[in-house]
Amino acid sequence: MVPPPVIQTYPLSSYSFKEKETKIGKDSSVEDRLARMKLNYMQEGMRISVEGILLIQEHNFPHVLLFEIEDTFYKLPGGKLKPGEPEIEGLRRKLSSKLAATSPSLHPDWQIGECVGMWWQPSFEDVMYPYCPTHITKPKECKKLFVVHMPERGNFAVPKNVNLLAVPLFELHSNRQKYGTIASAIPLQLSRFKFNYNNPQNILP
Amino acid sequence: MVPPPVIQTYPLSSYSFKEKETKIGKDSSVEDRLARMKLNYMQEGMRISVEGILLIQEHNFPHVLLFEIEDTFYKLPGGKLKPGEPEIEGLRRKLSSKLAATSPSLHPDWQIGECVGMWWQPSFEDVMYPYCPTHITKPKECKKLFVVHMPERGNFAVPKNVNLLAVPLFELHSNRQKYGTIASAIPLQLSRFKFNYNNPQNILP
């Protein structure tokens, strides 16, 4: 038998979540975002973005950490790489900016794991595909999703104006209407992994 | 940058498909199938099945080989492991039984690659999930999907009574209605791979 890759999970209560200062989004509408993408594309070429899937357990079942933005939009932590920036380094930078206390000395040593999916945006429209569509030679964005292996314990800090939710895989599965194309596909992209649930009684103090 | 794993594809025309004798399915209805599963479960415990994703290219885009059964049902080649049978060995056996000429000397040397997903059936109902649902301690089936790396050329043989189709990823994507839960999720489960299209002019004779 080929053993499946393993993701260790720990209870949500193993982590502390503090508030940090409000982060103002760069765009106030989808149109603004697409206009900014267009400008960036002309200057830098295809946008490469990286996002992290951070998993915790509740009731011996995996939950994904998702930002909820204005009660309507769900997003993994991550963002755009700088031109030439390595993926793993860029994802670490983005995770610290979105999920860690401001002082660099408090930034976790993020353990970036397997890439589980790539999404392609063929044009300046808000639609992504899990493949680069045929006849598209110049896609506008490639988004890569990575598993982030969680430590046994940790301290996070989340901007005041966003909610961080732990959403179970069964809630995301086939729920594109609510969670969007990318988050609703996470259960399918994680289905090759085995989850190892570490319950409090098994964790040494 | 972390290079994505690569799947080499070759044009459909690199392969020959012959007919072989009709294969009679074991069940004549979904009810029959579930009744047989129940009986097997009592004798052997959880059913473990393995299926192969064989990819070819047309118009520089990946297509998945799928059996079409009675114009309504689509299935990857594969099947149930024997008790104790190793996965890779069992998948090779199943691929030869479904896709190769009868003589063992003509069986391809199947190159079984990455596991891309696992599906769980919690009860004796025809519903599968990409995770083992909470509170299910005795799932009835686990189905594992593997990439099968295709040779540059090959000869296949398909039972007279089934159609083998090459379906492009864009046709499968989000088309659960037509292709079913498992086949429609393949594009999401392959999205982390890079496809390397080998066109005829690049292939040495």
Side-chain angles (χ1 to χ4, degrees):
Chain A
M1 296 286 154
V2 187
V6 174
I7 297 177
Q8 303 287 343
T9 60
Y10 303 92
L12 187 57
S13 58
S14 311
Y15 308 102
S16 78
F17 295 89
K18 293 200 172 128
E19 280 191 348
K20 61 177 177 177
E21 57 185 81
T22 294
K23 255 208 169 124
I24 309 295
K26 284 183 183 142
D27 312 301
S28 56
S29 67
V30 174
E31 289 72 35
D32 279 12
R33 186 175 167 275
L34 295 173
R36 187 167 55 87
M37 277 193 75
K38 217 162 182 165
L39 198 68
N40 279 342
Y41 180 80
M42 291 191 299
Q43 292 167 349
E44 303 173 3
M46 183 179 75
R47 175 189 168 103
I48 303 174
S49 60
V50 287
E51 294 185 349
I53 301 174
L54 285 69
L55 293 141
I56 61 92
Q57 77 189 53
E58 285 287 276
H59 313 294
N60 280 344
F61 196 77
H63 292 54
V64 178
L65 296 187
L66 278 181
F67 289 121
E68 181 190 44
I69 296 161
E70 290 165 10
D71 290 339
T72 53
F73 183 64
Y74 298 84
K75 213 183 152 325
L76 289 166
K80 177 181 165 295
L81 295 182
K82 296 175 184 172
E85 186 179 31
E87 293 165 356
I88 304 295
E89 197 178 307
L91 181 52
R92 286 207 178 107
R93 176 176 62 81
K94 281 291 178 183
L95 292 175
S96 287
S97 126
K98 311 242 160 162
L99 283 172
T102 313
S103 161
S105 66
L106 297 174
H107 289 182
D109 178 22
W110 301 106
Q111 298 298 314
I112 314 295
E114 298 83 348
C115 174
V116 298
M118 293 193 279
W119 288 91
W120 300 86
Q121 184 167 325
S123 63
F124 295 113
E125 280 169 55
D126 203 17
V127 186
M128 298 203 95
Y129 298 91
Y131 42 78
C132 187
T134 35
H135 310 303
I136 299 292
T137 51
K138 294 184 173 173
K140 302 304 178 276
E141 177 169 0
C142 175
K143 190 194 285 290
K144 297 182 83 165
L145 271 55
F146 292 86
V147 169
V148 179
H149 293 283
M150 295 285 274
E152 275 187 35
R153 285 194 181 69
N155 301 309
F156 298 100
V158 177
K160 254 186 257 180
N161 58 325
V162 293
N163 283 330
L164 186 67
L165 306 180
V167 185
L169 292 186
F170 62 77
E171 165 79 9
L172 294 174
H173 179 49
S174 293
N175 205 344
R176 185 170 162 179
Q177 190 72 21
K178 178 165 182 186
Y179 292 100
T181 310
I182 290 173
S184 65
I186 292 172
L188 292 166
Q189 296 180 325
L190 293 183
S191 77
R192 67 189 167 105
F193 291 89
K194 181 184 181 320
F195 293 95
N196 196 6
Y197 306 115
N198 295 278
N199 283 302
Q201 62 271 28
N202 309 332
I203 305 176
L204 294 172
Chain B
M1 296 285 153
V2 186
V6 174
I7 297 176
Q8 303 287 342
T9 60
Y10 303 93
L12 187 57
S13 58
S14 312
Y15 308 102
S16 79
F17 295 89
K18 293 199 172 130
E19 278 191 350
K20 62 178 179 177
E21 58 184 80
T22 293
K23 254 206 170 128
I24 309 295
K26 284 182 181 141
D27 313 301
S28 56
S29 68
V30 174
E31 290 73 34
D32 279 12
R33 186 174 168 275
L34 295 173
R36 187 167 56 88
M37 276 194 76
K38 218 163 182 165
L39 198 68
N40 280 342
Y41 180 80
M42 291 192 298
Q43 292 168 347
E44 303 173 3
M46 183 179 77
R47 174 189 169 103
I48 303 174
S49 60
V50 286
E51 294 185 350
I53 301 175
L54 285 69
L55 292 142
I56 61 95
Q57 76 190 53
E58 286 287 276
H59 312 294
N60 281 344
F61 195 77
H63 291 53
V64 178
L65 296 187
L66 278 181
F67 289 121
E68 182 190 42
I69 296 161
E70 290 164 11
D71 290 339
T72 53
F73 184 65
Y74 298 84
K75 214 183 151 323
L76 290 166
K80 177 182 163 298
L81 295 182
K82 296 175 184 171
E85 186 179 31
E87 293 164 356
I88 304 294
E89 197 178 308
L91 181 52
R92 288 207 176 106
R93 176 176 62 79
K94 281 291 177 183
L95 292 175
S96 288
S97 126
K98 311 243 159 163
L99 283 172
T102 314
S103 162
S105 67
L106 297 175
H107 289 182
D109 177 21
W110 301 107
Q111 298 298 314
I112 314 295
E114 297 85 347
C115 174
V116 298
M118 295 194 277
W119 289 91
W120 300 86
Q121 184 167 325
S123 62
F124 295 113
E125 281 171 55
D126 203 18
V127 186
M128 298 201 96
Y129 298 91
Y131 43 77
C132 187
T134 33
H135 310 302
I136 298 292
T137 52
K138 294 184 172 175
K140 303 305 178 274
E141 177 170 358
C142 175
K143 189 193 287 291
K144 295 182 83 165
L145 271 55
F146 292 87
V147 169
V148 179
H149 292 283
M150 295 286 274
E152 273 188 33
R153 285 194 179 66
N155 301 308
F156 298 100
V158 178
K160 254 185 259 182
N161 58 325
V162 294
N163 284 329
L164 186 66
L165 306 180
V167 185
L169 292 186
F170 62 76
E171 165 78 10
L172 293 174
H173 179 49
S174 294
N175 206 342
R176 186 170 162 179
Q177 192 71 21
K178 178 163 181 187
Y179 292 100
T181 309
I182 290 172
S184 65
I186 291 172
L188 290 166
Q189 295 179 326
L190 294 183
S191 77
R192 67 188 166 105
F193 290 89
K194 180 184 180 323
F195 293 95
N196 196 7
Y197 306 115
N198 294 279
N199 284 302
Q201 63 272 26
N202 308 332
I203 304 177
L204 296 171

